[in-house]
Amino acid sequence: MSPTRRPLLALATALVAGMALVGCGNLSEDDLVFFAGLPQKKQLEMRPAGEPSALEQGNSAEQALEVPCADGDLRCHARKVATDLNGISFFLLDLVDEVLKHPPTRRERDRRVWGPIFDVAKQASYRFEMVRVDDGTSALGTFRFCVHGAAGRVPARLVDEVSCDVDLDEDTGLALLLSGQFTPGDLEGARARSGVGSLTLELSRVEPLKGVGRQLVIDFDNDEERTELHLGVVGALLAGTNLERERVDYDFVREADGSGRLNFDAFANLAPEQPGVENLVIGAAWDTEQAGRAEATVARVGDLEHPLFVAVQCWDAELGEVYFRANDDARGDEDACVYSAL
Amino acid sequence: MNLRALACALPLAALAAGNAHARTERLALIVANHQGGTELPELRYAGRDGQRLADVLVDLGGFERADILSVIDGEGGDVMGALDEVERRVAQAKRGGDEVVFLFYYSGHAQNGVLRLGQTQLEMQWIKRRLEESSADVRIAFVDSCGAGAMTREKGGTLAPPFVVQVDQGLSARGQVIITSSSASEVSQESDDIQGSFFTHYLATGLRGDADRNTDGKVTLDEAYAYAYGRTVAATSVTRSGAQHPTYSYDLRGAGDVTLSEPGGADVVIDFPAESEGRYFVVDLDRQLFVAEVDKNAGNTSRIALPKGQYAIKKRMDSHLLMTRLSAREKGVFTIDEGAMERVSFADDYAKGTPIMSDRIADEVGFALSVGLGAQLVLDPGDDGDLFPGLPYVVIEARGRNLVGEHIMTSADVGFGGVKVERDVPGGTIPADVVHVQAGVNVLWTTRLFDDAVLLGGGGRLAAMYWQHTFQDPAALPVGVDATQWYFDFAPGLVGMAGWSFASWGHAEITARSSVMVYTYDSVRPVFPVEALASVWFDF
């Protein structure tokens, strides 16, 4: 072989070998495992007594909100509250789902990063990250995810140091907006049917929600037997007290047999003619037939022993009211209540 | 097939009408040399070419064996001496009042207008001048060598199809004709199949009768040239070296045509009747020598003249031979009856040693198209077959033979495959439709065995491969997983094949392919697609 042909042969060999390395596509087994670790809406859904799932066809949170509640219909108000809170949870999951419709910008074993993506309309950049931690808590491990955002355009080359552990990156201005984690439990096909997790939204960094509080925290835990949710809004303290100025605590439990209970505890200015804010507490419980009891109490903050207003409502399996009392005015038969007290 | 230079001066001689009182003396000088110097390859069949032509001259051309001088593997000085001897004999015949025809034939190497005789050389123009200076009435030279056209390029040398000798009636032929096997810039080729040079082979076959266009029992100079020209161009046009075009230089005056051979008056004539069709090979069994080839269409008759002897006539069919023995110890015409020919397997061919077995598929440029079925299996050390599952496979392939070289096949193929799979997910499986599309180019070295019935080959391949998974129930997928997953890569690889010819128009093949590509999405790892195919080929 002549010397001049050797470089050509080497070049051809290198070219063919190089072509074999230029494979591209999204054919993946790892994705099917990785994304199975995301919570689904039904895991975060609160369904008070007699309420169908908002995720079922023909039923939505919007439809529920369109039906006004009669005064004193505590069950209806409880449903309204649940629908509102479901809307918040679903919004957060929709946010994650929207990001996941796009291919990751950075794809590593057990880690995916999207962005920074510049939103022209909002003139802001966002970055989303998912990390799988093989901590032995489940077959798939635990998934952590977070969304960072910053005003203006953030160059991609500057975000390498940003991770879910970073609250505020001074170089880029990227601040943590949403964080969460999820440990899948039972799996149904390629999706987690149950699991334990939490979502935290930094309200103070989201312009339209700044006044609501500092953080919104959703903890959820569900399995075959029951669904538990706790939603809380953490706000600033009331001046001179150790009480928070804004606070919402919502606990929800639904058993597999259809029974459940909820407790809503919020600070709100329910009596504008009086100084300060009031404490609204709504509790409810229902049995497998969906018959149940609800109680609402309005009191000054820290003074639940002397409520300003107390109401009780009981309903039967057809969701018809069997007993109602507002302070001292009552109608119906309290003995017809499925529960005598909460 | 070997390239070679041929030079020859063909026999014949002709005599013409004319002087009724003169006797015609025929002299020939056969020069053949296998060597052309250290820088040129040894020729294999130069001597055999000279012998074949001498045999035809004796059998059918009216030459006496003693009047044919031969210089085989001699030097330039030997040729000069032989020409002197020829001239002495010419002078002697002329003194007796005879007309003389002198035929010069050369088969050997030539380069740059010079005949290469071992380590010595003779200029073609010198040979030409010696012929011009000869006192023989008719001088005919056949030069079968590379670049032989240099001898005809001056003074009327013509690269052209056949000429017609037309001389005034009433005059004896006088002058000189030079015919070369190729033009000045072409190589002349010899063939292992025909065990000789193309040009001399067809010249000798034509003189034995196949060139007798007007079936008058005589082969004239123009008939022989026309036949040799057409057959040589056709046969060499499919070789790697390309077509060689015989040329002539004509300076002949006188009456009548120049007859080179008279097969009609031969002792033995083999008659191929009008209904026979195809390519027949005639083998001299006594000498184990291939002597003639007849390639005829139905409707025309052909005749081959031979000396007495024992012959085999054979015809190649798709999967066997048709053969017949011809014991021609007595004078006669023997008509070929194809229906009476016996069926003989390639292995039982009793006329070996003079092969022409091949229909030269191995040498010819050709094309083929195939449809094949098979299966693909991808060896993936990092996966259990979910990503690249085994699947049935259909392939269409187009192939060219000898486009880039002898024994080399080049092809392009496109294939499709598909299968339904259950993709593993943490909580069970999800059904998906897998489609695979592949397009590749192949270069194979091939060889034929068992009388071309079996084709074996192996070579390299470069394919573009594409897989697509479509999940049947996208709603079952986790968010973040597309309903369609795909992967594309180039995959170099190896190909091996074995084929069996079952008809002139086609053959069957089994093919095995192995490729390698690099999967880079979940992890970086090599994967090895392997395919086995069975295909039917249509040869053109």
Side-chain angles (χ1 to χ4, degrees), chain A residues 39-88:
Chain A
Q40 300 179 63
K41 286 179 179 176
K42 64 182 180 182
Q43 293 170 315
L44 275 68
E45 185 185 21
M46 305 172 198
R47 289 171 54 199
E51 289 303 307
S53 171
L55 301 172
E56 292 174 0
Q57 192 170 11
N59 198 334
S60 68
E62 288 75 14
Q63 288 174 318
L65 288 171
E66 288 171 359
V67 182
C69 293
D71 288 343
D73 187 347
L74 297 182
R75 192 187 65 80
C76 180
H77 286 295
R79 184 191 66 194
K80 286 282 192 189
V81 170
T83 301
D84 289 343
L85 298 180
N86 279 342
I88 295 173

Short mmCIF file of all heavy atoms in Angstrom, two decimals, chain A residues 39-88:
data_model
loop_
_atom_site.label_atom_id
_atom_site.label_comp_id
_atom_site.label_asym_id
_atom_site.label_seq_id
_atom_site.Cartn_x
_atom_site.Cartn_y
_atom_site.Cartn_z
N PRO A 39 -45.50 12.15 41.56
CA PRO A 39 -46.85 12.01 42.12
C PRO A 39 -47.89 12.39 41.06
O PRO A 39 -47.63 13.16 40.16
CB PRO A 39 -46.85 13.00 43.28
CG PRO A 39 -45.82 14.01 42.91
CD PRO A 39 -44.77 13.26 42.15
N GLN A 40 -49.07 11.80 41.22
CA GLN A 40 -50.17 12.12 40.32
C GLN A 40 -51.21 12.94 41.08
O GLN A 40 -51.27 12.93 42.31
CB GLN A 40 -50.78 10.83 39.78
CG GLN A 40 -49.78 9.99 39.00
CD GLN A 40 -50.42 8.71 38.49
OE1 GLN A 40 -51.35 8.76 37.70
NE2 GLN A 40 -49.94 7.59 38.98
N LYS A 41 -52.06 13.56 40.33
CA LYS A 41 -53.04 14.46 40.94
C LYS A 41 -53.96 13.71 41.91
O LYS A 41 -54.35 14.24 42.94
CB LYS A 41 -53.87 15.14 39.84
CG LYS A 41 -53.11 16.20 39.09
CD LYS A 41 -53.98 16.83 38.02
CE LYS A 41 -53.21 17.92 37.27
NZ LYS A 41 -53.99 18.48 36.16
N LYS A 42 -54.31 12.49 41.54
CA LYS A 42 -55.25 11.79 42.39
C LYS A 42 -54.66 11.50 43.77
O LYS A 42 -55.38 11.23 44.71
CB LYS A 42 -55.73 10.51 41.74
CG LYS A 42 -54.67 9.46 41.51
CD LYS A 42 -55.29 8.25 40.80
CE LYS A 42 -54.24 7.18 40.55
NZ LYS A 42 -54.82 6.04 39.81
N GLN A 43 -53.34 11.54 43.85
CA GLN A 43 -52.72 11.32 45.15
C GLN A 43 -52.82 12.57 46.03
O GLN A 43 -52.66 12.50 47.24
CB GLN A 43 -51.24 10.94 44.96
CG GLN A 43 -51.08 9.58 44.29
CD GLN A 43 -49.65 9.31 43.89
OE1 GLN A 43 -48.97 10.15 43.32
NE2 GLN A 43 -49.21 8.10 44.20
N LEU A 44 -53.04 13.69 45.41
CA LEU A 44 -53.13 14.94 46.18
C LEU A 44 -54.56 15.46 46.26
O LEU A 44 -54.81 16.52 46.83
CB LEU A 44 -52.25 16.02 45.53
CG LEU A 44 -50.77 16.03 45.90
CD1 LEU A 44 -50.04 14.82 45.36
CD2 LEU A 44 -50.10 17.32 45.42
N GLU A 45 -55.48 14.70 45.71
CA GLU A 45 -56.84 15.21 45.65
C GLU A 45 -57.59 15.01 46.98
O GLU A 45 -57.55 13.93 47.57
CB GLU A 45 -57.62 14.51 44.52
CG GLU A 45 -59.02 15.10 44.36
CD GLU A 45 -59.83 14.34 43.33
OE1 GLU A 45 -59.50 13.18 43.03
OE2 GLU A 45 -60.80 14.93 42.81
N MET A 46 -58.27 16.05 47.41
CA MET A 46 -59.11 15.97 48.61
C MET A 46 -60.56 15.82 48.15
O MET A 46 -61.06 16.64 47.39
CB MET A 46 -58.98 17.23 49.43
CG MET A 46 -57.54 17.54 49.80
SD MET A 46 -57.40 19.15 50.58
CE MET A 46 -55.68 19.49 50.39
N ARG A 47 -61.21 14.78 48.61
CA ARG A 47 -62.59 14.53 48.21
C ARG A 47 -63.45 14.41 49.46
O ARG A 47 -63.52 13.35 50.07
CB ARG A 47 -62.68 13.24 47.39
CG ARG A 47 -62.06 13.36 46.01
CD ARG A 47 -61.98 12.01 45.35
NE ARG A 47 -63.29 11.36 45.34
CZ ARG A 47 -63.45 10.04 45.16
NH1 ARG A 47 -62.40 9.27 44.98
NH2 ARG A 47 -64.66 9.52 45.16
N PRO A 48 -64.10 15.51 49.85
CA PRO A 48 -64.97 15.46 51.02
C PRO A 48 -66.15 14.54 50.77
O PRO A 48 -66.33 14.02 49.67
CB PRO A 48 -65.42 16.91 51.20
CG PRO A 48 -64.46 17.72 50.45
CD PRO A 48 -64.01 16.87 49.31
N ALA A 49 -66.97 14.41 51.80
CA ALA A 49 -68.07 13.46 51.75
C ALA A 49 -68.96 13.71 50.54
O ALA A 49 -69.36 14.84 50.26
CB ALA A 49 -68.90 13.56 53.02
N GLY A 50 -69.25 12.65 49.81
CA GLY A 50 -70.19 12.72 48.71
C GLY A 50 -69.65 13.37 47.47
O GLY A 50 -70.37 13.51 46.48
N GLU A 51 -68.38 13.74 47.49
CA GLU A 51 -67.82 14.41 46.32
C GLU A 51 -67.17 13.40 45.38
O GLU A 51 -66.34 12.60 45.80
CB GLU A 51 -66.77 15.44 46.77
CG GLU A 51 -67.36 16.64 47.45
CD GLU A 51 -68.37 17.35 46.58
OE1 GLU A 51 -68.03 17.68 45.43
OE2 GLU A 51 -69.53 17.54 47.03
N PRO A 52 -67.56 13.44 44.10
CA PRO A 52 -66.82 12.63 43.13
C PRO A 52 -65.45 13.24 42.88
O PRO A 52 -65.21 14.39 43.25
CB PRO A 52 -67.70 12.70 41.88
CG PRO A 52 -68.40 14.01 41.99
CD PRO A 52 -68.61 14.25 43.47
N SER A 53 -64.60 12.46 42.25
CA SER A 53 -63.27 12.98 41.95
C SER A 53 -63.35 14.10 40.93
O SER A 53 -64.04 13.98 39.92
CB SER A 53 -62.38 11.86 41.42
OG SER A 53 -61.18 12.40 40.94
N ALA A 54 -62.65 15.16 41.21
CA ALA A 54 -62.57 16.25 40.24
C ALA A 54 -61.82 15.84 38.99
O ALA A 54 -61.88 16.50 37.96
CB ALA A 54 -61.89 17.46 40.87
N LEU A 55 -61.08 14.70 39.06
CA LEU A 55 -60.30 14.25 37.92
C LEU A 55 -61.12 13.40 36.96
O LEU A 55 -60.65 13.08 35.87
CB LEU A 55 -59.10 13.44 38.40
CG LEU A 55 -58.16 14.21 39.32
CD1 LEU A 55 -57.12 13.27 39.89
CD2 LEU A 55 -57.50 15.34 38.57
N GLU A 56 -62.35 13.03 37.42
CA GLU A 56 -63.17 12.20 36.55
C GLU A 56 -63.80 13.05 35.47
O GLU A 56 -64.06 14.24 35.65
CB GLU A 56 -64.24 11.47 37.37
CG GLU A 56 -63.64 10.43 38.29
CD GLU A 56 -64.70 9.80 39.20
OE1 GLU A 56 -65.88 10.20 39.09
OE2 GLU A 56 -64.33 8.95 40.02
N GLN A 57 -64.08 12.42 34.38
CA GLN A 57 -64.64 13.15 33.24
C GLN A 57 -65.99 13.77 33.62
O GLN A 57 -66.81 13.16 34.27
CB GLN A 57 -64.83 12.20 32.07
CG GLN A 57 -65.11 12.92 30.77
CD GLN A 57 -65.06 11.98 29.59
OE1 GLN A 57 -65.02 10.77 29.75
NE2 GLN A 57 -65.06 12.55 28.40
N GLY A 58 -66.20 15.01 33.23
CA GLY A 58 -67.47 15.67 33.49
C GLY A 58 -67.54 16.33 34.85
O GLY A 58 -68.56 16.89 35.22
N ASN A 59 -66.46 16.28 35.56
CA ASN A 59 -66.45 16.91 36.87
C ASN A 59 -65.14 17.67 37.02
O ASN A 59 -64.09 17.17 36.68
CB ASN A 59 -66.55 15.85 37.98
CG ASN A 59 -66.97 16.48 39.29
OD1 ASN A 59 -66.75 17.66 39.52
ND2 ASN A 59 -67.60 15.68 40.13
N SER A 60 -65.23 18.85 37.49
CA SER A 60 -64.01 19.63 37.64
C SER A 60 -64.17 20.60 38.79
O SER A 60 -65.27 20.86 39.27
CB SER A 60 -63.70 20.40 36.35
OG SER A 60 -64.68 21.39 36.16
N ALA A 61 -63.07 21.08 39.22
CA ALA A 61 -63.10 22.05 40.31
C ALA A 61 -63.91 23.26 39.92
O ALA A 61 -64.66 23.83 40.73
CB ALA A 61 -61.67 22.45 40.66
N GLU A 62 -63.79 23.65 38.66
CA GLU A 62 -64.51 24.83 38.21
C GLU A 62 -66.02 24.61 38.33
O GLU A 62 -66.77 25.48 38.75
CB GLU A 62 -64.14 25.15 36.76
CG GLU A 62 -62.75 25.72 36.59
CD GLU A 62 -61.68 24.65 36.72
OE1 GLU A 62 -62.03 23.45 36.68
OE2 GLU A 62 -60.52 25.02 36.91
N GLN A 63 -66.45 23.41 37.93
CA GLN A 63 -67.88 23.12 38.02
C GLN A 63 -68.35 23.17 39.47
O GLN A 63 -69.42 23.67 39.79
CB GLN A 63 -68.19 21.74 37.42
CG GLN A 63 -68.08 21.74 35.89
CD GLN A 63 -68.26 20.33 35.36
OE1 GLN A 63 -67.73 19.37 35.91
NE2 GLN A 63 -69.01 20.23 34.27
N ALA A 64 -67.55 22.64 40.38
CA ALA A 64 -67.94 22.64 41.79
C ALA A 64 -68.07 24.06 42.31
O ALA A 64 -68.97 24.39 43.09
CB ALA A 64 -66.91 21.87 42.62
N LEU A 65 -67.17 24.92 41.87
CA LEU A 65 -67.18 26.30 42.35
C LEU A 65 -68.38 27.08 41.83
O LEU A 65 -68.77 28.09 42.40
CB LEU A 65 -65.89 27.01 41.95
CG LEU A 65 -64.63 26.56 42.71
CD1 LEU A 65 -63.40 27.16 42.08
CD2 LEU A 65 -64.74 26.95 44.18
N GLU A 66 -68.91 26.64 40.73
CA GLU A 66 -70.03 27.38 40.15
C GLU A 66 -71.31 27.23 40.97
O GLU A 66 -72.24 28.02 40.86
CB GLU A 66 -70.27 26.89 38.71
CG GLU A 66 -69.20 27.35 37.75
CD GLU A 66 -69.35 26.69 36.40
OE1 GLU A 66 -70.29 25.86 36.26
OE2 GLU A 66 -68.53 26.96 35.52
N VAL A 67 -71.36 26.22 41.84
CA VAL A 67 -72.58 25.99 42.62
C VAL A 67 -72.46 26.74 43.96
O VAL A 67 -71.60 26.40 44.77
CB VAL A 67 -72.79 24.49 42.89
CG1 VAL A 67 -74.07 24.27 43.67
CG2 VAL A 67 -72.80 23.73 41.57
N PRO A 68 -73.29 27.78 44.17
CA PRO A 68 -73.16 28.53 45.43
C PRO A 68 -73.65 27.71 46.62
O PRO A 68 -74.57 26.90 46.50
CB PRO A 68 -74.05 29.75 45.19
CG PRO A 68 -75.03 29.32 44.16
CD PRO A 68 -74.35 28.33 43.31
N CYS A 69 -73.03 27.92 47.77
CA CYS A 69 -73.41 27.21 48.97
C CYS A 69 -74.44 28.05 49.74
O CYS A 69 -74.31 29.27 49.86
CB CYS A 69 -72.21 26.97 49.89
SG CYS A 69 -71.01 25.83 49.18
N ALA A 70 -75.41 27.37 50.25
CA ALA A 70 -76.38 28.06 51.08
C ALA A 70 -75.74 28.42 52.41
O ALA A 70 -74.80 27.75 52.86
CB ALA A 70 -77.60 27.15 51.30
N ASP A 71 -76.24 29.49 53.00
CA ASP A 71 -75.70 29.87 54.30
C ASP A 71 -75.84 28.72 55.29
O ASP A 71 -76.89 28.09 55.39
CB ASP A 71 -76.45 31.10 54.84
CG ASP A 71 -76.09 32.36 54.07
OD1 ASP A 71 -75.04 32.34 53.37
OD2 ASP A 71 -76.83 33.34 54.15
N GLY A 72 -74.81 28.44 56.00
CA GLY A 72 -74.87 27.39 56.99
C GLY A 72 -74.70 26.00 56.47
O GLY A 72 -74.69 25.04 57.25
N ASP A 73 -74.54 25.86 55.15
CA ASP A 73 -74.30 24.52 54.59
C ASP A 73 -72.82 24.20 54.74
O ASP A 73 -72.01 24.47 53.88
CB ASP A 73 -74.73 24.47 53.13
CG ASP A 73 -74.67 23.04 52.57
OD1 ASP A 73 -74.07 22.16 53.23
OD2 ASP A 73 -75.20 22.83 51.46
N LEU A 74 -72.47 23.67 55.90
CA LEU A 74 -71.05 23.44 56.21
C LEU A 74 -70.42 22.43 55.26
O LEU A 74 -69.26 22.53 54.91
CB LEU A 74 -70.93 22.98 57.66
CG LEU A 74 -71.39 23.98 58.71
CD1 LEU A 74 -71.16 23.41 60.11
CD2 LEU A 74 -70.67 25.31 58.56
N ARG A 75 -71.21 21.41 54.91
CA ARG A 75 -70.65 20.40 53.99
C ARG A 75 -70.28 21.03 52.66
O ARG A 75 -69.22 20.75 52.08
CB ARG A 75 -71.66 19.28 53.79
CG ARG A 75 -71.08 18.06 53.11
CD ARG A 75 -72.15 17.05 52.78
NE ARG A 75 -73.09 17.55 51.81
CZ ARG A 75 -72.87 17.59 50.48
NH1 ARG A 75 -71.71 17.16 50.01
NH2 ARG A 75 -73.76 18.08 49.66
N CYS A 76 -71.15 21.92 52.21
CA CYS A 76 -70.88 22.61 50.95
C CYS A 76 -69.64 23.49 51.07
O CYS A 76 -68.78 23.51 50.21
CB CYS A 76 -72.10 23.44 50.55
SG CYS A 76 -71.87 24.35 49.00
N HIS A 77 -69.55 24.20 52.21
CA HIS A 77 -68.37 25.05 52.39
C HIS A 77 -67.09 24.22 52.48
O HIS A 77 -66.04 24.61 51.97
CB HIS A 77 -68.55 25.92 53.65
CG HIS A 77 -69.52 27.04 53.44
ND1 HIS A 77 -69.29 28.08 52.56
CD2 HIS A 77 -70.74 27.30 53.99
CE1 HIS A 77 -70.31 28.92 52.56
NE2 HIS A 77 -71.23 28.46 53.43
N ALA A 78 -67.20 23.07 53.13
CA ALA A 78 -66.03 22.18 53.22
C ALA A 78 -65.61 21.72 51.82
O ALA A 78 -64.41 21.63 51.49
CB ALA A 78 -66.35 20.98 54.09
N ARG A 79 -66.61 21.45 51.01
CA ARG A 79 -66.30 21.05 49.63
C ARG A 79 -65.62 22.19 48.88
O ARG A 79 -64.66 22.00 48.14
CB ARG A 79 -67.59 20.67 48.93
CG ARG A 79 -67.38 20.13 47.51
CD ARG A 79 -68.70 20.03 46.79
NE ARG A 79 -69.27 21.35 46.57
CZ ARG A 79 -70.53 21.57 46.21
NH1 ARG A 79 -71.38 20.57 46.10
NH2 ARG A 79 -70.98 22.80 46.01
N LYS A 80 -66.13 23.42 49.10
CA LYS A 80 -65.52 24.58 48.44
C LYS A 80 -64.06 24.74 48.83
O LYS A 80 -63.19 25.00 48.00
CB LYS A 80 -66.28 25.85 48.83
CG LYS A 80 -67.65 25.98 48.18
CD LYS A 80 -67.50 26.45 46.75
CE LYS A 80 -68.87 26.86 46.19
NZ LYS A 80 -68.77 27.11 44.76
N VAL A 81 -63.82 24.57 50.14
CA VAL A 81 -62.45 24.70 50.60
C VAL A 81 -61.57 23.63 49.96
O VAL A 81 -60.47 23.90 49.48
CB VAL A 81 -62.40 24.60 52.14
CG1 VAL A 81 -60.95 24.49 52.61
CG2 VAL A 81 -63.07 25.80 52.78
N ALA A 82 -62.09 22.40 49.94
CA ALA A 82 -61.30 21.30 49.35
C ALA A 82 -61.03 21.57 47.88
O ALA A 82 -59.92 21.34 47.37
CB ALA A 82 -62.05 19.99 49.51
N THR A 83 -62.04 22.07 47.19
CA THR A 83 -61.86 22.36 45.76
C THR A 83 -60.81 23.44 45.55
O THR A 83 -59.95 23.34 44.67
CB THR A 83 -63.20 22.80 45.16
OG1 THR A 83 -64.17 21.76 45.35
CG2 THR A 83 -63.04 23.06 43.67
N ASP A 84 -60.87 24.47 46.39
CA ASP A 84 -59.86 25.53 46.29
C ASP A 84 -58.45 24.96 46.50
O ASP A 84 -57.52 25.28 45.75
CB ASP A 84 -60.14 26.62 47.32
CG ASP A 84 -61.38 27.42 46.95
OD1 ASP A 84 -61.80 27.34 45.78
OD2 ASP A 84 -61.93 28.11 47.85
N LEU A 85 -58.34 24.15 47.52
CA LEU A 85 -57.02 23.62 47.82
C LEU A 85 -56.56 22.61 46.78
O LEU A 85 -55.38 22.53 46.44
CB LEU A 85 -57.02 22.98 49.22
CG LEU A 85 -57.34 23.98 50.34
CD1 LEU A 85 -57.33 23.27 51.69
CD2 LEU A 85 -56.33 25.12 50.35
N ASN A 86 -57.52 21.83 46.29
CA ASN A 86 -57.17 20.94 45.17
C ASN A 86 -56.62 21.75 44.00
O ASN A 86 -55.66 21.35 43.32
CB ASN A 86 -58.40 20.16 44.69
CG ASN A 86 -58.69 18.95 45.57
OD1 ASN A 86 -57.83 18.50 46.32
ND2 ASN A 86 -59.92 18.46 45.52
N GLY A 87 -57.23 22.87 43.75
CA GLY A 87 -56.78 23.72 42.65
C GLY A 87 -55.33 24.13 42.82
O GLY A 87 -54.56 24.16 41.85
N ILE A 88 -54.97 24.45 44.05
CA ILE A 88 -53.57 24.83 44.29
C ILE A 88 -52.64 23.65 44.03
O ILE A 88 -51.61 23.76 43.35
CB ILE A 88 -53.40 25.35 45.74
CG1 ILE A 88 -54.20 26.64 45.92
CG2 ILE A 88 -51.94 25.56 46.06
CD1 ILE A 88 -54.24 27.14 47.35
#
